[in-house]
């Protein structure tokens, strides 16, 4: 019997609330990784600062809005 190996997937989920001073460094560190994640999701918990606009500058990020 042969055994199929399944490729593992990696998703990074980052919950944020008013993280404009940290989110760029966090996402830049992810972008610099040799092995990229399959998905990066930023969950915005109703930020009132520039967190979302900064996160949108990274083309690999998907943003999910929460109240």
């Amino acid at each position: 019997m042969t055994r199929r190996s399944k490729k593992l997937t990696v998703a990074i989920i980052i919950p944020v609330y008013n993280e404009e001073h940290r989110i760029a460094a966090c996402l830049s560190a992810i972008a610099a990784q040799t092995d990229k994640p399959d998905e990066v999701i930023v969950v915005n918990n109703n930020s009132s600062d520039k967190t979302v606009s900064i996160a949108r500058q990274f083309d690999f990020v998907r943003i999910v809005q929460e109240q």
Side-chain angles (χ1 to χ4, degrees), residues 39-58:
E39 185 174 26
V40 177
I41 302 169
V42 171
V43 180
N44 179 38
N45 291 297
N46 207 22
S47 294
S48 60
D49 64 359
K50 298 177 183 176
T51 300
V52 173
S53 63
I54 294 168
R56 283 193 177 121
Q57 295 174 9
F58 295 82

Side-chain angles (χ1 to χ4, degrees), residues 5-24:
S5 62
K6 292 183 180 180
K7 180 182 178 233
L8 295 177
T9 58
V10 175
I12 298 175
I13 302 169
I14 307 166
V16 296
Y17 175 73
N18 292 342
E19 299 291 342
E20 70 177 83
H21 299 295
R22 296 175 192 89
I23 193 66

